[in-house]
Amino acid sequence: MSRAPIATEQKVAEKLTILNDRCIGILTRIYNIKKACGDAKSKPAFLSDKSLESCIKHIVRKFPNIDSKSLQALSSVRTDIMKSLSLYYYTFVDLLDLKDHISELLTLMGVLGMHESLDIGISYDLTKGYLDLVINYVTLMVLLSRVEDRKAVLGLFNAAHEMVNNQGDPSFPRLGQMIMDYEVPLKKLSEEFVPHTKLLSAALSSLHQLYPRRNLKADQWRAAQMLSLVNNPSQLLNPAQTDTMPCEYLSLDTLERWISLGYLLIPHTLQNPQVLDIWTQTLQTGWVITLFRDEVLHIHSFIQSFLETRKELSKRVSDVKESYNTAVSTAPLMHRERRKYLRTALKELSLILTDQPGLLGPKALFVFMGLSFARDEVLWLLRHHENPPLQKVKSGKSAEDLVDRQLPELLFHMEELRALVKKYSQVLQRYYIQYLNGYDAIALNQLMQSLQNLPEDESIILSSMCSEIGQLSVKQVDEGGSQSINLSSVTNENGQLTVKQVDEGSSFDFRGIRLDWFRIQAYSTQNRTGLQLRDNREMAALINQIVFHTKMVDYLDEMLNETSDLSIFCFFSKQFEDNFHMCLEFPAQNRYIIAFPLICSHMQACTHEVCPEERYHIRERSLSVVNMFLEEMAKEAKNIITTICDEQCILSDKLLPKHTVPLILSHKKKEKKKKKEEAAEGRPGHESYRKTREELTTMDKLHMALTELCFAINYCSQVQVWEYTFAPREYLYQHLEQRFARALVGMVMYNETTSEIAKPSELLTSVRTYMSVLQTVENYVHIDITRVFNNVLLQQTQLQDSHGEKTITALYNTWYADILLRRVSAGHIVFSKNQRAFVSLTSEGAQPFAAEEFSDVNELRALAELIGPYGMKALNENLMWHIANQVQELRRLVVINKEVLLSMRTNFDKPEQMKDLFKKLQPEVDSVLSRMQIIGVILCFRQLAQEALTDALEQRIPFLMSSIADFRHHVPNGDTMIENIKLQLVNEMSSAAGHRCEVDPALVHVLRAHKSEVHDDEFIVTCLLMVFVAVSIPKLARMDSTCYKTAYQSHANNSHCLALGINTLFAALFTYCGRAQDIEERLKEFLALASSSLLRLGKENDKEVIKHRDATYILLHEIVGESPFLTMDLLEACFPYALIRNAYHAVHKADQHG
């Protein structure tokens, strides 16, 4: 005769732990199989292969008795079938194996007589482990019955296996029977649990006191001041504890699943009024319960279809229908009120604990209760919103109550409490180490002394437990390390744990204590004499309390997962995103929106080691969702900031001088009083007057929305999701940079069709306004907005930004070089030396824009501030490129007329011969003059731009500018090669800072770039070009457009620009040829040539030839005045100064009379 099993030898506690974990793993795999088979894209290809359709239908119809001989169509793909379906098939084999182990354990527990041990208030771990196992088992079988292609998968695999191995898989007969048995799962399950009725009934009966106490309405919570720390100030420092501490934070959702599904397994117990009452209560709290993840069970229809098959229970059908009506009509409102209460309760908790984190120690139970309550409500809302009632009920507004716009607030306070627990984990450890050592160990020791006839096993366990918690020291927490220690093996001679023995601290591990307590619960059976926990409730309550205290030391992360894990959102992704966008559109909830990215960090918790293949998909999903959330948040903040910036730009634009003219005119006119008041209302600043603070303007609302959203972005510096770290502020940085860059280019308002562009001064005003608004963002978020300015504005000084888009520099570069200066060359616009700007001479020249409005000192200074030295350098390079193109054409003309020019150079003192030679040049003279004028105009504009840059830099970097000036003053003349190199470097530096140099380094550089090799005749060509220009100058006297405008100190055709053009160009050309030392001599030669040519004008009698002779004489004076190489003494030697003086007198007189 076999010996009866002994509880201490059966390892019930270990088996319950392992099997429950295994159930979750197999559930995960079955869930993934169900999802894969239900999706046409992810299901195995064989199941949708039309060539195998008849075979599959045959398998399903004949299942499980399949004749493989009639499935010859499978023979060609048998190995592929086995390969692709093996994971599915062996998952079902694992399920069969798990079912056997569960049945074995349930039978063993019944044999051991554990029904008296199953009391949730005493043997919490045992009872919870047992009920979890039962419900997990039920869930597995229900989920199995929902896998669509289960018969086809198993049948195909077995048939392929038989074809390959000449025999079917050994597990298939039992697998097939299991599939058939659980077609209607509840019927088979209720039959299976007939032998376990006593055990299951005892476990469920222990919930009769707990469930009504936990299933309270919001009004009852409010009346009891549930979760409030301040309702009784005198008890504020007292530890929150009860005799059933683990039951306080046990999920209500779990309780309801235990009761509603548990009693269905033993349906005859529903005849008991007390059982029926508690069962109907659970059915009235909602119309769906969770099976696994987003798989739910419409519980009422599920129960109803089962009860209708049992005649003795047909009376219960009406109870189920009544419960359904009650659930649909009242449950949404009840849960909405619960969420409303929890929002304020959790907010109060987080505020108090943030201010006084020391209270986390005594009030930790409140935190975990609050998190558990809130999580239950979130889960309820998710599954009920996703699964509306199958049958509508007339009364009630369930649809409205299932959309909660305040849900983000509840989620946020949950995340806040989680963060507090993690942040102050050491506070909890210090408190509970002292509690365990100073109270729990002593109390447990005293209780042990009072116990008589304690069995050896329990005695050893309790003594060990008492010894371990009595050896704890708070010093371990202070030294906080990562090394795990065995608490029973590191004591000194006095039995006390010391810091030195712990190697700089330890991470605590009390799993042994908790498992020992689990074992004691399993040992307390009817069949065994010894410690009966039902007779020692005080001890059970104390050890349950000790277990909670140990969890506060070494099990905090798991406790947070147990009570507040929201990884379920991973499977309700549409609701997750809908709630996020709803929150984004609801300003009152904006500050709580950070909860959504934080929840993405939970999603790792829903994976299981038994199903590693889903980790990748969940990981990718959570990473993409958190990225999308942070992107949307930053984008919304950016949009609000942009709107504020645009509004402020409009206001600042009203303050520009151009808008004052209408106001000045309106004051001069005598208008009616009413009209005056209306005009006054439109003045800048009117928007700041307020009648009442209650009337919020658009700007007020925008600032409020920005404050709320920035609170969320600033709430945490980083969000950890899997192994990645996301920084919300960095998203805002990126969006602000991109938006600021686009805004800058947009504010230029460049229109290629009409050639319109914003004035640089107006753009600068707008940019400064934009920047001042962006700087206020620092008041809301801890970011360095200067970083945004530096990155964006520096990119705007280049021709392209980092995205390859055009910049302010590129647009203004194009506009000034290709539009403004081309219009100057076309006529009607002159360079005014006294106004230091290009000025429109006629109304035609002022269309479509007035040149002076874009080229005066203020505008170019504004341009220099906007694009900086880099941008001005790019502008210079573009201008120099245009000059180089003109020089190429001039060289070509010189080469064509080389012989004539050589003769003129040697015979310049022979008037008659020069006259004949000049006639040969006549066709090309106009071209040379016009090209030189273009070069002169470009260089005059460049000179204005360089002066503006110098002014801007002297304001920004005065000390650096003075150093550059000092370098220029002390640089050697360049007599030796080394000195020459130094001179070039200093010239380049000076030119970059806007200073004018004797030889323009930028022009020399461009000339070299255009023609890399310098030929021997290059110097001759340059000298001949100089001759060409000198002998062409008298031609200006016969041009009508050469008239001198005294008001502008300029010639109408910009001939005066030749002065700068000649000096700058020839200095650069001779330097390019390597004859920099000859510049002065060659310019003296030019002066002699030009002077003799102009003096011949004095002998001309033809009035057409000498029409503007005086204006041309002035040009010669200006050439010498602009030159750093020529002096007035040289001019006097070549050309009588009296002629120049008389010329000035004549042009001023003509201008006055004209």
Side-chain angles (χ1 to χ4, degrees):
M1 186 175 177
S2 61
R3 184 168 64 94
I6 301 172
T8 53
E9 298 175 357
Q10 297 306 315
K11 299 185 182 293
V12 173
E14 290 87 339
K15 288 177 180 177
L16 278 173
T17 306
I18 292 167
L19 287 177
N20 271 316
D21 181 65
R22 185 70 173 170
C23 280
I24 300 301
I26 299 299
L27 265 172
T28 306
R29 282 168 60 179
I30 296 288
Y31 171 87
N32 281 292
I33 289 173
K34 179 186 180 300
K35 292 296 182 185
C37 290
D39 184 0
K41 293 179 181 178
S42 59
K43 69 160 54 180
F46 302 106
L47 299 178
S48 51
D49 189 343
K50 291 191 176 180
S51 63
L52 302 178
E53 192 174 342
S54 59
C55 293
I56 292 171
K57 284 182 179 178
H58 176 77
I59 288 169
V60 173
R61 187 170 62 254
K62 296 289 184 178
F63 191 87
N65 303 311
I66 305 161
D67 182 9
S68 60
K69 293 178 182 177
S70 59
L71 303 172
Q72 292 305 313
L74 300 179
S75 59
S76 59
V77 289
R78 57 194 175 188
T79 53
D80 292 335
I81 288 175
M82 284 191 68
K83 193 179 292 183
S84 64
L85 297 183
S86 61
L87 181 64
Y88 290 21
Y89 183 85
Y90 288 114
T91 295
F92 290 114
V93 173
D94 289 343
L95 173 57
L96 182 63
D97 184 49
L98 177 64
K99 176 181 178 295
D100 293 341
H101 283 94
I102 291 173
S103 300
E104 182 185 334
L105 180 59
L106 293 178
T107 304
L108 175 64
M109 291 177 73
V111 171
L112 290 172
M114 284 192 172
H115 57 275
E116 292 191 7
S117 305
L118 295 175
D119 186 332
I120 197 77
I122 300 172
S123 306
Y124 174 82
D125 300 300
L126 182 67
T127 310
K128 182 179 184 298
Y130 171 75
L131 288 172
D132 276 343
L133 187 65
V134 170
I135 301 308
N136 285 337
Y137 179 50
V138 173
T139 304
L140 274 167
M141 294 308 158
V142 174
L143 204 57
L144 173 65
S145 68
R146 291 185 172 191
V147 178
E148 290 179 10
D149 297 307
R150 57 191 182 280
K151 292 181 180 178
V153 167
L154 296 175
L156 275 172
F157 182 88
N158 188 63
H161 188 281
E162 190 171 341
M163 289 176 182
V164 172
N165 301 300
N166 296 321
Q167 61 176 11
D169 184 79
S171 303
F172 181 73
R174 291 189 62 224
L175 261 181
Q177 191 58 48
M178 180 181 74
I179 295 296
M180 298 306 293
D181 287 345
Y182 291 94
E183 284 285 308
V184 183
L186 203 51
K187 181 181 178 183
K188 178 64 178 175
L189 285 166
S190 62
E191 292 172 4
E192 273 187 46
F193 272 85
V194 170
H196 310 306
T197 300
K198 196 173 185 181
L199 207 61
L200 183 55
S201 180
L204 292 173
S205 297
S206 69
L207 305 178
H208 288 193
Q209 288 184 335
L210 176 62
Y211 180 70
R213 178 165 64 80
R214 287 291 310 279
N215 185 33
L216 300 176
K217 293 184 178 178
D219 291 337
Q220 293 169 295
W221 279 354
R222 199 169 282 111
Q225 289 289 291
M226 184 69 78
L227 303 177
S228 175
L229 299 182
V230 294
N231 68 321
N232 191 351
S234 61
Q235 301 291 317
L236 193 61
L237 297 178
N238 292 356
Q241 57 190 31
T242 66
D243 288 343
T244 55
M245 288 184 76
C247 298
E248 307 306 329
Y249 57 84
L250 176 62
S251 169
L252 187 62
D253 188 40
T254 301
L255 277 174
E256 288 170 352
R257 289 176 73 228
W258 286 349
I259 295 169
S260 56
L261 291 176
Y263 278 120
L264 279 181
L265 301 177
I266 46 174
H268 58 276
T269 57
L270 293 174
Q271 305 291 5
N272 184 329
Q274 188 181 1
V275 170
L276 181 62
D277 179 54
I278 201 84
W279 187 64
T280 52
Q281 281 184 46
T282 63
L283 297 181
Q284 290 171 1
T285 58
W287 52 89
V288 288
I289 62 168
T290 304
L291 272 179
F292 187 68
R293 294 179 175 173
D294 60 336
E295 285 291 320
V296 297
L297 194 64
H298 284 270
I299 188 67
H300 300 87
S301 58
F302 182 71
I303 294 171
Q304 195 173 328
S305 61
F306 170 65
L307 293 180
E308 285 171 352
T309 64
R310 304 283 292 265
K311 292 182 180 179
E312 72 276 12
L313 297 171
S314 56
K315 293 180 180 178
R316 301 281 77 85
V317 173
S318 59
D319 295 329
V320 173
K321 288 181 179 178
E322 187 180 337
S323 297
Y324 176 77
N325 292 335
T326 305
V328 173
S329 58
T330 64
L333 177 62
M334 179 185 76
H335 285 279
R336 187 188 72 182
E337 290 301 313
R338 278 187 186 171
R339 292 193 300 274
K340 183 178 176 182
Y341 177 80
L342 286 170
R343 284 198 300 272
T344 56
L346 295 192
K347 183 179 181 180
E348 179 190 300
L349 261 179
S350 61
L351 286 172
I352 293 173
L353 294 176
T354 302
D355 186 56
Q356 298 293 332
L359 289 175
L360 265 172
K363 302 301 179 185
L365 181 62
F366 278 18
V367 173
F368 291 104
M369 285 170 64
L371 289 172
S372 180
F373 293 176
R375 199 264 301 267
D376 284 335
E377 295 308 312
V378 172
L379 296 183
W380 187 95
L381 183 66
L382 277 178
R383 66 175 180 270
H384 284 80
H385 182 274
E386 191 80 7
N387 302 280
L390 297 175
Q391 299 173 1
K392 292 185 178 179
V393 178
K394 291 183 180 179
S395 60
K397 300 178 180 178
S398 60
E400 295 176 14
D401 292 328
L402 293 176
V403 178
D404 190 352
R405 298 187 75 184
Q406 276 82 30
L407 181 64
E409 185 176 351
L410 182 60
L411 298 175
F412 174 80
H413 292 313
M414 288 178 70
E415 287 299 324
E416 207 166 18
L417 286 175
R418 282 172 62 94
L420 281 171
V421 171
K422 290 177 181 178
K423 182 178 180 181
Y424 297 110
S425 58
Q426 208 173 58
V427 172
L428 284 159
Q429 286 183 327
R430 288 175 61 87
Y431 182 85
Y432 284 103
I433 284 289
Q434 293 176 74
Y435 204 120
L436 285 163
N437 178 267
Y439 175 80
D440 290 336
I442 298 166
L444 182 58
N445 191 41
Q446 289 176 354
L447 269 177
M448 283 175 60
Q449 302 300 327
S450 65
L451 291 175
Q452 296 177 354
N453 301 323
L454 194 63
E456 184 182 357
D457 292 325
E458 283 89 335
S459 178
I460 292 171
I461 289 174
L462 291 173
S463 299
S464 172
M465 192 184 297
C466 189
S467 172
E468 286 191 21
I469 63 176
Q471 292 167 5
L472 296 172
S473 166
V474 79
K475 290 181 182 178
Q476 295 167 254
V477 182
D478 297 334
E479 295 278 328
S482 60
Q483 186 179 8
S484 180
I485 63 165
N486 184 340
L487 292 174
S488 60
S489 62
V490 289
T491 56
N492 62 8
E493 293 176 1
N494 299 319
Q496 289 295 313
L497 199 65
T498 60
V499 180
K500 291 180 181 178
Q501 293 168 302
V502 188
D503 295 332
E504 298 182 355
S506 64
S507 61
F508 299 93
D509 187 355
F510 293 119
R511 286 178 297 178
I513 289 178
R514 291 191 287 271
L515 184 56
D516 282 344
W517 172 230
F518 198 166
R519 287 168 177 152
I520 289 176
Q521 295 170 40
Y523 295 167
S524 178
T525 64
Q526 184 186 26
N527 299 351
R528 180 174 177 272
T529 57
L531 181 64
Q532 296 296 323
L533 292 179
R534 65 180 181 276
D535 300 326
N536 292 278
R537 289 181 175 271
E538 187 180 352
M539 172 170 278
L542 176 62
I543 300 181
N544 277 329
Q545 180 179 305
I546 290 172
V547 166
F548 177 77
H549 295 167
T550 61
K551 286 181 178 181
M552 294 300 99
V553 178
D554 73 330
Y555 206 65
L556 275 175
D557 288 339
E558 290 79 0
M559 281 290 287
L560 287 174
N561 277 340
E562 184 183 334
T563 55
S564 60
D565 171 44
L566 293 173
S567 58
I568 189 72
F569 274 110
C570 184
F571 308 100
F572 289 92
S573 51
K574 186 178 183 302
Q575 269 202 72
F576 197 28
E577 292 175 23
D578 289 348
N579 277 301
F580 172 81
H581 288 112
M582 193 190 306
C583 180
L584 199 60
E585 294 163 7
F586 188 27
Q589 291 287 305
N590 277 173
R591 66 167 40 217
Y592 308 119
I593 201 167
I594 191 63
F596 292 93
L598 289 172
I599 286 170
C600 294
S601 63
H602 298 205
M603 292 180 182
Q604 190 172 358
C606 68
T607 59
H608 198 280
E609 60 188 8
V610 174
C611 188
E613 60 270 18
E614 75 165 359
R615 286 178 66 86
Y616 172 78
H617 302 290
I618 290 174
R619 177 176 172 276
E620 290 304 305
R621 192 182 310 171
S622 51
L623 291 175
S624 64
V625 168
V626 70
N627 181 62
M628 184 268 286
F629 286 164
L630 293 174
E631 278 281 350
E632 292 286 327
M633 288 164 61
K635 195 183 294 182
E636 183 66 18
K638 177 258 298 182
N639 290 339
I640 295 171
I641 292 167
T642 302
T643 308
I644 295 172
C645 287
D646 292 344
E647 187 68 25
Q648 290 295 332
C649 285
I650 293 169
L651 294 176
S652 67
D653 184 70
K654 289 180 181 177
L655 294 173
L656 293 175
K658 65 182 181 181
H659 293 294
T660 60
V661 176
L663 289 172
I664 293 169
L665 291 174
S666 67
H667 276 293
K668 288 182 178 179
K669 293 178 182 178
K670 292 183 179 180
E671 295 179 345
K672 293 181 181 180
K673 195 175 183 181
K674 185 178 179 183
K675 288 187 178 179
K676 283 186 179 179
E677 288 173 0
E678 287 175 1
E681 284 182 5
R683 291 182 183 179
H686 172 73
E687 70 283 343
S688 299
Y689 289 101
R690 295 179 181 275
K691 293 181 180 179
T692 62
R693 285 298 306 178
E694 287 75 16
E695 292 181 14
L696 294 178
T697 64
T698 305
M699 289 296 284
D700 293 333
K701 292 173 183 175
L702 287 170
H703 279 289
M704 285 178 65
L706 183 61
T707 305
E708 296 296 294
L709 196 54
C710 286
F711 173 87
I713 293 171
N714 197 51
Y715 177 73
C716 57
S717 59
Q718 57 188 38
V719 178
Q720 192 77 31
V721 181
W722 293 79
E723 71 273 25
Y724 289 88
T725 300
F726 294 83
R729 293 171 202 163
E730 287 301 317
Y731 282 81
L732 184 59
Y733 267 126
Q734 289 177 9
H735 278 278
L736 287 179
E737 281 185 15
Q738 292 169 11
R739 179 59 210 169
F740 188 38
R742 284 202 302 272
L744 288 177
V745 175
M747 287 189 287
V748 175
M749 295 186 290
Y750 179 53
N751 187 326
E752 291 185 14
T753 309
T754 60
S755 302
E756 292 177 351
I757 200 166
K759 291 167 65 175
S761 60
E762 292 181 7
L763 175 61
L764 183 61
T765 302
S766 297
V767 170
R768 283 174 174 165
T769 305
Y770 220 96
M771 290 171 69
S772 66
V773 174
L774 287 177
Q775 279 179 311
T776 62
V777 176
E778 290 183 339
N779 300 332
Y780 306 108
V781 189
H782 293 157
I783 62 172
D784 179 15
I785 207 71
T786 309
R787 173 180 145 191
V788 174
F789 295 157
N790 289 342
N791 287 349
V792 174
L793 293 176
L794 190 60
Q795 287 183 40
Q796 291 301 312
T797 65
Q798 308 302 309
L799 294 175
Q800 283 186 338
D801 63 14
S802 57
H803 301 287
E805 300 292 331
K806 287 185 177 180
T807 59
I808 292 176
T809 298
L811 295 175
Y812 276 112
N813 197 333
T814 303
W815 191 85
Y816 275 106
D818 297 344
I819 295 173
L820 177 66
L821 294 181
R822 283 185 190 279
R823 292 198 61 242
V824 172
S825 302
H828 306 294
I829 298 174
V830 297
F831 169 62
S832 172
K833 292 181 71 176
N834 60 351
Q835 293 185 21
R836 306 302 293 163
F838 286 89
V839 181
S840 304
L841 289 178
T842 62
S843 57
E844 291 178 21
Q847 297 298 325
F849 59 85
E852 56 269 30
E853 292 185 5
F854 291 87
S855 61
D856 68 7
V857 174
N858 289 333
E859 297 302 328
L860 292 178
R861 280 180 185 169
L863 182 67
E865 283 199 51
L866 284 166
I867 65 177
Y870 284 121
M872 295 302 272
K873 184 183 178 185
L875 178 60
N876 286 341
E877 287 172 355
N878 191 17
L879 295 174
M880 293 302 107
W881 181 81
H882 283 285
I883 290 174
N885 288 338
Q886 297 298 331
V887 170
Q888 289 289 93
E889 288 300 313
L890 288 169
R891 279 182 178 142
R892 187 180 61 80
L893 293 173
V894 169
V895 171
I896 292 170
N897 299 282
K898 188 174 182 180
E899 297 301 324
V900 177
L901 290 169
L902 282 169
S903 300
M904 294 185 84
R905 187 183 185 193
T906 55
N907 298 304
F908 72 93
D909 54 345
K910 299 173 183 176
E912 293 303 321
Q913 198 170 342
M914 287 290 285
K915 194 171 184 181
D916 294 336
L917 291 170
F918 186 73
K919 287 179 181 177
K920 293 179 182 179
L921 292 178
Q922 195 76 18
E924 311 292 352
V925 169
D926 288 343
S927 177
V928 169
L929 286 174
S930 65
R931 292 187 187 283
M932 284 302 296
Q933 282 174 345
I934 289 170
I935 291 172
V937 166
I938 292 173
L939 288 170
C940 286
F941 174 76
R942 177 174 179 262
Q943 187 181 42
L944 289 180
Q946 291 290 85
E947 288 171 0
L949 176 61
T950 304
D951 292 342
L953 292 179
E954 281 177 349
Q955 285 187 340
R956 289 288 185 88
I957 47 171
F959 300 109
L960 190 57
M961 290 296 284
S962 63
S963 299
I964 293 171
D966 194 50
F967 273 119
R968 291 183 67 215
H969 182 70
H970 292 95
V971 70
N973 289 326
D975 295 334
T976 66
M977 184 181 291
I978 295 174
E979 288 180 349
N980 192 36
I981 293 170
K982 289 180 180 178
L983 180 61
Q984 287 179 13
L985 291 172
V986 171
N987 280 346
E988 285 182 15
M989 179 175 65
S990 301
S991 179
H995 291 298
R996 186 176 173 185
C997 303
E998 288 184 355
V999 179
D1000 193 329
L1003 185 52
V1004 174
H1005 179 74
V1006 170
L1007 290 171
R1008 283 178 179 153
H1010 258 65
K1011 204 168 185 180
S1012 56
E1013 294 182 7
V1014 180
H1015 298 291
D1016 295 335
D1017 64 341
E1018 197 70 39
F1019 175 67
I1020 302 298
V1021 171
T1022 303
C1023 290
L1024 294 180
L1025 175 60
M1026 183 184 69
V1027 172
F1028 207 155
V1029 174
V1031 299
S1032 300
I1033 287 175
K1035 180 73 180 289
L1036 293 170
R1038 68 173 64 194
M1039 294 181 183
D1040 293 334
S1041 58
T1042 310
C1043 64
Y1044 191 79
K1045 301 288 184 181
T1046 57
Y1048 303 116
Q1049 289 187 6
S1050 62
H1051 295 81
N1053 61 357
N1054 285 309
S1055 296
H1056 60 293
C1057 295
L1058 284 171
L1060 183 61
I1062 288 166
N1063 283 294
T1064 306
L1065 178 62
F1066 287 121
L1069 281 171
F1070 285 121
T1071 303
Y1072 159 67
C1073 296
R1075 305 292 284 270
Q1077 68 276 11
D1078 292 344
I1079 294 173
E1080 190 172 337
E1081 288 302 318
R1082 299 283 72 77
L1083 285 177
K1084 286 178 182 178
E1085 182 185 344
F1086 171 84
L1087 183 59
L1089 283 164
S1091 300
S1092 65
S1093 299
L1094 287 173
L1095 285 171
R1096 281 195 291 274
L1097 286 176
K1099 297 178 183 179
E1100 291 286 346
N1101 295 320
D1102 188 350
K1103 289 186 178 180
E1104 286 298 318
V1105 174
I1106 60 170
K1107 187 188 300 183
H1108 293 294
R1109 181 176 59 190
D1110 294 327
T1112 311
Y1113 287 169
I1114 290 171
L1115 173 59
L1116 186 64
H1117 179 255
E1118 288 180 342
I1119 289 171
V1120 176
E1122 285 285 350
S1123 176
F1125 303 100
L1126 301 175
T1127 62
M1128 287 299 169
D1129 291 340
L1130 284 171
L1131 176 63
E1132 183 67 30
C1134 299
F1135 194 87
Y1137 194 76
L1139 290 176
I1140 294 173
R1141 186 172 60 248
N1142 291 338
Y1144 273 112
H1145 179 73
V1147 295
H1148 278 78
K1149 188 175 180 181
D1151 203 36
Q1152 285 176 0
H1153 291 296

